[in-house]
Amino acid sequence: MAKNTYECIIVGAGIAGLQAAIQLGRYMHNVLVIDSQNGRSNLCRGYHNILGWPDGVSGQTLRELGQKQAKSLEIEFMNDLVIEAEKHDKEILLRTKQGTEYKTKTLLISTGIKDQIPTIKDIEPCLGISIYVCPDCDGYEVRDKHVLLLGSGSTGANLALTLTYWTNQITFINHDSKELEQDMKNKLMQHNITIINEQIAAVIAENESSFKGVKLKNGQTVSGDRGFIGFGGNHVHSELAKQLGVELLENKHVLVDPRTKETNITNVWAAGDVVAHSEQVTIAMADGCQAAIWIHKRLLKGT
């Protein structure tokens, strides 16, 4: 093949993209993975609900292991950001921020989403260890603990209510003091959830990653055993899909065929959190593997 021309290009080297790369590498296809190192899995210090990792595993570890495994299968990697995508008959053209053009027969979009987290001092070392984002992943970690819900408005309030499944000790810190409807206030009150309308200045932690509470902008400190984040406004990285005419939901997640993970645009697949699903690492892995299987089938047919 000509330089910068591939059988498949994967945009995004998160969990879904790496799993797809490994599967396609085992099919011995000519594959390039383009990644900007800005995925949400970079931030998580510990996933605790994955088979084989009972003590938890960080997103960074999974990414490093996955990339090493994919490279052993001769998968190429490029650190860059794809900013434009065009489809011309049976060929897809990609342009990157660094000015490089790539051509491919098939494309997998695994660009994920990015959590909206305000600038709060010392929060990052605690993410995935003692401050969590996903109740389905980590609600179990806060059972019977005093949780500080660091969030905003109805998004934070609803997450606080969700966490009552695991604990009845919850304080909701409404970071930007967004007004809550009276019905929501009543629900929080019924569950004895305290509401504090004040901006968070910093996280208080022992040994950098052990959450102990927060310091508010007004100087007050609030103690807690664990933290949870619920700010809303997460960014879905579906811009490339939109450029290619891929069907999106109102929330900008990508629609795919549930069996093949192919979008409504022929030879364009999507996998992982950019797709409309439960945003779980294990599901992202399954998505990536399933997409790769059907990409292989298509390549065998000569696209």
Side-chain angles (χ1 to χ4, degrees):
M1 288 188 175
K3 185 180 179 181
N4 293 347
T5 300
Y6 295 85
E7 289 180 284
C8 181
I9 290 179
I10 299 170
V11 182
I15 308 305
L18 287 171
Q19 185 66 64
I22 290 166
Q23 185 67 28
L24 288 167
R26 292 173 63 83
Y27 288 133
M28 299 177 290
H29 287 300
N30 180 30
V31 178
L32 172 68
V33 181
I34 306 175
D35 185 65
S36 62
Q37 298 294 315
N38 194 35
R40 76 188 318 198
S41 56
N42 285 304
L43 286 178
C44 187
R45 306 299 194 275
Y47 297 108
H48 294 91
N49 64 336
I50 301 176
L51 176 68
W53 300 91
D55 297 322
V57 59
S58 71
Q60 181 180 1
T61 295
L62 288 177
R63 289 171 70 103
E64 289 174 354
L65 290 172
Q67 191 166 137
K68 181 179 179 181
Q69 188 174 351
K71 285 181 176 179
S72 74
L73 297 164
E74 300 186 7
I75 301 297
E76 294 181 42
F77 285 82
M78 182 61 61
N79 184 8
D80 203 347
L81 176 67
V82 179
I83 57 175
E84 291 181 18
E86 298 175 8
K87 191 169 187 293
H88 302 284
D89 193 19
K90 293 185 178 182
E91 189 173 72
I92 300 165
L93 176 66
L94 303 177
R95 297 185 184 89
T96 72
K97 188 175 182 180
Q98 294 180 13
T100 308
E101 290 191 355
Y102 296 97
K103 295 178 181 179
T104 183
K105 294 178 179 178
T106 60
L107 174 68
L108 174 61
I109 299 171
S110 54
T111 42
I113 70 175
K114 195 64 178 289
D115 297 287
Q116 167 64 22
I117 304 175
T119 302
I120 298 172
K121 185 181 178 184
D122 298 328
I123 195 172
E124 285 200 10
C126 295
L127 293 175
I129 296 177
S130 55
I131 299 179
Y132 309 106
V133 175
C134 171
D136 297 309
C137 303
D138 295 309
Y140 181 81
E141 304 303 318
V142 305
R143 62 199 185 283
D144 301 323
K145 305 287 187 184
H146 180 195
V147 176
L148 301 190
L149 194 295
L150 319 180
S152 173
S154 60
T155 299
N158 277 309
L159 181 52
L161 291 171
T162 298
L163 294 176
T164 60
Y165 181 83
W166 290 277
T167 180
N168 59 8
Q169 305 171 66
I170 301 172
T171 299
F172 171 34
I173 302 178
N174 190 11
H175 179 70
D176 52 12
S177 300
K178 277 191 177 178
E179 185 62 31
L180 298 172
E181 293 184 2
Q182 189 58 48
D183 181 57
M184 178 61 76
K185 290 179 181 179
N186 293 339
K187 288 179 181 178
L188 294 173
M189 189 180 302
Q190 288 166 11
H191 286 88
N192 296 314
I193 297 172
T194 302
I195 307 171
I196 298 176
N197 294 308
E198 185 64 40
Q199 283 196 327
I200 305 158
V203 163
I204 301 170
E206 286 184 358
N207 302 319
E208 291 192 343
S209 62
S210 181
F211 180 81
K212 295 299 177 184
V214 297
K215 182 177 181 179
L216 304 179
K217 286 283 181 72
N218 65 6
Q220 178 187 356
T221 60
V222 184
S223 298
D225 302 317
R226 297 288 188 274
F228 243 96
I229 290 173
F231 290 99
N234 293 347
H235 180 73
V236 184
H237 293 293
S238 55
E239 294 87 355
L240 292 179
K242 184 177 180 180
Q243 289 179 26
L244 291 165
V246 169
E247 186 177 0
L248 307 178
L249 294 173
E250 287 185 12
N251 62 10
K252 299 183 180 179
H253 283 277
V254 176
L255 280 173
V256 296
D257 183 292
R259 184 183 183 202
T260 67
K261 310 307 174 187
E262 189 172 15
T263 70
N264 61 302
I265 302 300
T266 303
N267 292 339
V268 177
W269 281 260
D273 288 354
V274 74
V275 176
H277 67 38
S278 299
E279 297 178 14
Q280 294 285 302
V281 169
T282 47
I283 294 175
M285 287 181 181
D287 269 7
C289 186
Q290 189 78 344
I293 289 169
W294 286 90
I295 290 169
H296 169 65
K297 292 177 185 293
R298 185 65 51 76
L299 288 171
L300 287 180
K301 291 181 178 179
T303 68

Coordinates of all heavy atoms in Angstrom, one line a residue, residues 130-183:
S130 N -10.1 7.4 45.3 CA -11.0 7.8 46.5 C -12.1 8.8 46.0 O -12.9 9.2 46.8 CB -10.2 8.3 47.6 OG -9.4 9.4 47.2
I131 N -12.0 9.3 44.8 CA -13.0 10.1 44.2 C -13.5 9.5 42.9 O -12.6 9.1 42.1 CB -12.6 11.6 43.9 CG1 -12.1 12.3 45.2 CG2 -13.6 12.4 43.2 CD1 -11.6 13.7 44.9
Y132 N -14.8 9.3 42.8 CA -15.3 8.4 41.6 C -16.2 9.2 40.7 O -16.7 10.3 41.1 CB -16.0 7.2 42.2 CG -15.1 6.4 43.2 CD1 -15.4 6.5 44.6 CD2 -14.0 5.7 42.8 CE1 -14.7 5.8 45.5 CE2 -13.3 5.0 43.7 CZ -13.6 5.1 45.1 OH -12.8 4.4 46.0
V133 N -16.4 8.7 39.6 CA -17.3 9.3 38.6 C -18.5 8.5 38.2 O -19.6 9.0 38.1 CB -16.5 9.6 37.3 CG1 -17.4 10.1 36.2 CG2 -15.3 10.5 37.5
C134 N -18.3 7.2 38.2 CA -19.4 6.3 37.7 C -20.0 5.4 38.9 O -19.2 4.6 39.4 CB -18.9 5.4 36.6 SG -20.0 4.1 36.1
P135 N -21.2 5.6 39.2 CA -21.8 4.7 40.3 C -21.9 3.3 39.9 O -21.7 2.4 40.8 CB -23.2 5.3 40.5 CG -23.5 6.0 39.2 CD -22.2 6.5 38.7
D136 N -22.1 2.9 38.7 CA -22.1 1.5 38.3 C -20.8 0.9 38.4 O -20.7 -0.3 38.8 CB -22.6 1.4 36.8 CG -24.0 1.9 36.6 OD1 -24.9 1.5 37.4 OD2 -24.2 2.7 35.7
C137 N -19.7 1.7 38.2 CA -18.3 1.1 38.4 C -18.0 1.1 39.9 O -17.4 0.1 40.4 CB -17.3 2.0 37.7 SG -17.6 2.2 35.9
D138 N -18.2 2.2 40.6 CA -17.6 2.4 41.9 C -18.6 2.7 43.0 O -18.1 3.0 44.1 CB -16.6 3.5 41.8 CG -15.4 3.1 40.9 OD1 -14.9 2.0 41.1 OD2 -15.1 3.9 40.0
G139 N -19.9 2.5 42.8 CA -20.8 2.7 44.0 C -20.5 1.8 45.1 O -20.5 2.2 46.3
Y140 N -20.0 0.6 44.8 CA -19.7 -0.4 45.8 C -18.5 0.1 46.7 O -18.5 -0.2 47.9 CB -19.3 -1.7 45.1 CG -18.9 -2.8 46.1 CD1 -19.8 -3.6 46.7 CD2 -17.5 -3.1 46.3 CE1 -19.5 -4.6 47.5 CE2 -17.2 -4.1 47.2 CZ -18.1 -4.9 47.8 OH -17.8 -5.9 48.7
E141 N -17.7 0.9 46.1 CA -16.5 1.4 46.9 C -16.9 2.4 48.0 O -16.1 2.6 48.9 CB -15.5 2.1 46.0 CG -15.0 1.3 44.8 CD -14.4 0.0 45.2 OE1 -13.6 0.0 46.2 OE2 -14.7 -1.1 44.6
V142 N -18.1 2.9 48.0 CA -18.5 3.9 49.0 C -19.6 3.4 49.9 O -20.2 4.2 50.7 CB -19.0 5.2 48.3 CG1 -18.0 5.8 47.3 CG2 -20.4 5.0 47.6
R143 N -19.8 2.1 49.9 CA -20.8 1.5 50.8 C -20.5 1.9 52.3 O -19.4 1.7 52.8 CB -20.9 0.0 50.6 CG -19.7 -0.7 51.0 CD -19.7 -2.1 50.3 NE -18.5 -2.9 50.8 CZ -17.3 -2.7 50.3 NH1 -17.0 -1.8 49.4 NH2 -16.3 -3.5 50.8
D144 N -21.6 2.4 52.9 CA -21.6 2.8 54.3 C -20.5 3.9 54.6 O -20.1 4.0 55.8 CB -21.3 1.6 55.2 CG -22.4 0.5 55.0 OD1 -23.6 0.9 54.8 OD2 -22.1 -0.7 55.0
K145 N -20.0 4.6 53.6 CA -19.1 5.7 53.9 C -19.8 7.0 53.8 O -20.9 7.2 53.2 CB -18.0 5.7 52.8 CG -17.2 4.4 52.6 CD -16.3 4.2 53.8 CE -15.4 2.9 53.5 NZ -14.5 2.6 54.7
H146 N -19.2 8.1 54.4 CA -19.7 9.4 54.2 C -19.1 10.0 52.9 O -17.9 10.2 52.7 CB -19.2 10.3 55.4 CG -19.7 11.7 55.2 ND1 -19.2 12.8 56.0 CD2 -20.7 12.3 54.5 CE1 -19.8 13.9 55.6 NE2 -20.8 13.6 54.7
V147 N -20.0 10.2 52.0 CA -19.7 10.6 50.6 C -19.9 12.1 50.4 O -21.0 12.6 50.8 CB -20.5 9.8 49.5 CG1 -20.2 10.4 48.1 CG2 -20.2 8.3 49.6
L148 N -19.0 12.8 49.9 CA -19.2 14.2 49.4 C -19.4 14.2 48.0 O -18.6 13.7 47.2 CB -18.0 15.1 49.8 CG -17.5 15.2 51.2 CD1 -16.5 16.3 51.4 CD2 -18.7 15.4 52.1
L149 N -20.6 14.5 47.5 CA -21.0 14.6 46.1 C -20.6 16.0 45.6 O -21.2 17.0 45.9 CB -22.5 14.3 45.9 CG -23.0 14.0 44.5 CD1 -22.8 15.2 43.6 CD2 -22.3 12.8 44.0
L150 N -19.5 16.0 44.9 CA -19.0 17.3 44.3 C -19.7 17.4 42.9 O -19.3 16.7 42.0 CB -17.5 17.2 44.1 CG -16.7 16.6 45.3 CD1 -15.2 16.6 45.0 CD2 -17.0 17.3 46.6
G151 N -20.6 18.4 42.8 CA -21.4 18.4 41.6 C -22.1 19.7 41.4 O -21.7 20.8 42.0
S152 N -23.1 19.7 40.5 CA -23.8 20.9 40.1 C -25.2 20.6 39.8 O -25.5 19.6 39.0 CB -23.1 21.4 38.8 OG -23.8 22.5 38.3
G153 N -26.1 21.4 40.4 CA -27.5 21.3 40.0 C -28.2 20.0 40.1 O -27.8 19.1 40.9
S154 N -29.1 19.7 39.1 CA -29.8 18.5 39.1 C -29.0 17.3 38.8 O -29.3 16.2 39.3 CB -31.0 18.6 38.0 OG -30.4 18.8 36.8
T155 N -27.9 17.5 38.0 CA -27.0 16.3 37.7 C -26.4 15.8 39.0 O -26.4 14.6 39.3 CB -25.9 16.7 36.8 OG1 -26.5 17.2 35.5 CG2 -24.9 15.6 36.5
G156 N -25.9 16.7 39.8 CA -25.3 16.3 41.1 C -26.3 15.7 42.0 O -26.1 14.7 42.7
A157 N -27.5 16.4 42.1 CA -28.5 15.9 43.0 C -29.0 14.5 42.6 O -29.2 13.7 43.5 CB -29.7 16.9 42.9
N158 N -29.2 14.3 41.4 CA -29.6 12.9 40.9 C -28.6 11.9 41.3 O -28.9 10.7 41.7 CB -30.0 12.9 39.4 CG -31.3 13.4 39.1 OD1 -32.3 13.0 39.7 ND2 -31.4 14.4 38.2
L159 N -27.3 12.2 41.1 CA -26.3 11.2 41.4 C -26.3 11.0 42.9 O -26.1 9.8 43.4 CB -24.9 11.8 40.9 CG -23.7 10.9 41.2 CD1 -24.0 9.4 40.7 CD2 -22.5 11.4 40.6
A160 N -26.5 12.0 43.7 CA -26.5 11.9 45.2 C -27.6 10.9 45.5 O -27.4 10.0 46.4 CB -26.7 13.2 45.8
L161 N -28.8 11.0 44.9 CA -29.9 10.1 45.2 C -29.5 8.7 44.7 O -29.9 7.7 45.4 CB -31.1 10.6 44.5 CG -31.8 11.9 45.0 CD1 -32.9 12.4 44.0 CD2 -32.3 11.7 46.4
T162 N -28.9 8.5 43.6 CA -28.4 7.2 43.2 C -27.5 6.5 44.2 O -27.7 5.3 44.4 CB -27.7 7.3 41.8 OG1 -28.6 7.9 40.8 CG2 -27.2 6.0 41.3
L163 N -26.7 7.3 44.8 CA -25.7 6.7 45.8 C -26.4 6.3 47.1 O -25.7 5.5 47.9 CB -24.6 7.7 46.1 CG -23.7 8.1 44.9 CD1 -22.7 9.1 45.3 CD2 -23.0 6.8 44.4
T164 N -27.6 6.6 47.3 CA -28.3 6.2 48.5 C -28.5 4.7 48.5 O -28.8 4.1 49.6 CB -29.6 6.9 48.7 OG1 -30.5 6.6 47.6 CG2 -29.5 8.4 48.8
Y165 N -28.3 4.0 47.4 CA -28.4 2.6 47.3 C -27.2 2.0 48.2 O -27.4 0.9 48.7 CB -28.2 2.1 45.9 CG -28.3 0.6 45.7 CD1 -29.6 -0.1 45.7 CD2 -27.2 -0.2 45.6 CE1 -29.6 -1.4 45.5 CE2 -27.2 -1.6 45.5 CZ -28.5 -2.2 45.4 OH -28.5 -3.6 45.3
W166 N -26.1 2.7 48.2 CA -24.9 2.2 48.9 C -24.7 2.8 50.3 O -24.0 2.2 51.2 CB -23.7 2.3 48.1 CG -23.7 1.4 46.9 CD1 -23.3 0.1 46.8 CD2 -24.0 1.8 45.5 NE1 -23.4 -0.4 45.5 CE2 -23.8 0.6 44.7 CE3 -24.5 3.0 44.9 CZ2 -24.1 0.6 43.4 CZ3 -24.8 2.9 43.6 CH2 -24.6 1.8 42.8
T167 N -25.1 4.0 50.5 CA -24.8 4.7 51.7 C -25.9 5.7 52.1 O -26.6 6.3 51.1 CB -23.5 5.4 51.7 OG1 -23.2 6.1 52.9 CG2 -23.4 6.5 50.5
N168 N -26.1 6.0 53.3 CA -27.1 7.0 53.8 C -26.4 8.2 54.4 O -27.0 9.0 55.0 CB -28.1 6.4 54.7 CG -27.5 5.8 56.0 OD1 -26.3 6.0 56.2 ND2 -28.2 5.1 56.8
Q169 N -25.1 8.3 54.1 CA -24.3 9.5 54.6 C -23.8 10.2 53.4 O -22.7 9.9 52.9 CB -23.2 9.0 55.5 CG -23.6 8.1 56.6 CD -22.3 7.5 57.3 OE1 -21.5 8.2 57.9 NE2 -22.2 6.2 57.2
I170 N -24.6 11.2 52.9 CA -24.2 11.9 51.7 C -24.4 13.4 51.9 O -25.4 13.9 52.5 CB -25.1 11.5 50.5 CG1 -24.9 10.0 50.3 CG2 -24.7 12.3 49.3 CD1 -25.9 9.5 49.2
T171 N -23.3 14.2 51.5 CA -23.4 15.6 51.5 C -23.2 16.1 50.1 O -22.2 15.7 49.4 CB -22.3 16.3 52.4 OG1 -22.5 15.8 53.7 CG2 -22.4 17.8 52.3
F172 N -24.2 16.8 49.6 CA -24.1 17.3 48.2 C -23.6 18.8 48.2 O -24.2 19.7 48.7 CB -25.5 17.3 47.5 CG -25.6 18.0 46.2 CD1 -24.5 18.0 45.3 CD2 -26.8 18.6 45.8 CE1 -24.6 18.6 44.1 CE2 -26.9 19.3 44.6 CZ -25.8 19.3 43.7
I173 N -22.4 19.0 47.6 CA -21.8 20.3 47.5 C -22.1 20.8 46.1 O -21.5 20.4 45.1 CB -20.3 20.3 47.8 CG1 -20.0 19.7 49.2 CG2 -19.7 21.7 47.7 CD1 -18.6 19.6 49.6
N174 N -23.1 21.7 46.1 CA -23.5 22.3 44.8 C -22.6 23.4 44.4 O -22.7 24.6 44.7 CB -25.0 22.8 45.0 CG -25.6 23.2 43.7 OD1 -25.1 22.9 42.6 ND2 -26.8 23.9 43.8
H175 N -21.6 23.0 43.6 CA -20.4 23.8 43.3 C -20.7 25.2 42.8 O -20.1 26.2 43.2 CB -19.5 23.1 42.4 CG -18.2 23.8 42.0 ND1 -17.2 24.1 42.9 CD2 -17.9 24.3 40.8 CE1 -16.2 24.7 42.2 NE2 -16.6 24.9 41.0
D176 N -21.7 25.3 41.8 CA -22.0 26.6 41.2 C -23.3 27.1 41.7 O -23.9 28.1 41.1 CB -21.9 26.5 39.7 CG -22.8 25.4 39.2 OD1 -23.6 24.8 40.0 OD2 -22.7 25.1 38.0
S177 N -23.8 26.6 42.8 CA -25.1 27.0 43.4 C -26.2 27.1 42.5 O -27.1 27.9 42.6 CB -24.9 28.4 44.1 OG -23.8 28.4 45.1
K178 N -26.3 26.1 41.5 CA -27.4 26.1 40.6 C -28.7 25.8 41.4 O -28.7 24.9 42.2 CB -27.2 25.0 39.5 CG -26.4 25.5 38.4 CD -26.4 24.5 37.2 CE -25.6 25.0 36.0 NZ -25.6 24.0 34.9
E179 N -29.7 26.5 41.1 CA -31.0 26.3 41.8 C -31.6 25.0 41.5 O -31.7 24.5 40.4 CB -32.0 27.5 41.4 CG -33.3 27.5 42.1 CD -33.1 27.7 43.6 OE1 -32.1 28.4 44.0 OE2 -33.9 27.2 44.4
L180 N -32.1 24.3 42.5 CA -32.8 23.0 42.4 C -34.3 23.2 42.5 O -34.7 24.1 43.3 CB -32.3 22.1 43.5 CG -30.8 21.7 43.5 CD1 -30.5 20.9 44.8 CD2 -30.5 20.9 42.3
E181 N -35.0 22.4 41.8 CA -36.5 22.5 41.9 C -36.9 22.0 43.3 O -36.2 21.2 43.9 CB -37.1 21.7 40.8 CG -36.9 22.2 39.4 CD -37.7 21.4 38.3 OE1 -38.4 20.5 38.7 OE2 -37.5 21.8 37.1
Q182 N -38.0 22.5 43.7 CA -38.5 22.1 45.1 C -38.7 20.6 45.2 O -38.4 20.0 46.3 CB -39.8 22.9 45.4 CG -40.2 22.8 46.9 CD -39.1 23.3 47.8 OE1 -38.6 24.4 47.7 NE2 -38.8 22.5 48.8
D183 N -39.2 20.0 44.2 CA -39.4 18.5 44.2 C -38.1 17.8 44.5 O -38.0 16.8 45.3 CB -40.0 18.1 42.9 CG -40.3 16.6 43.0 OD1 -41.0 16.1 43.9 OD2 -39.8 15.8 42.1

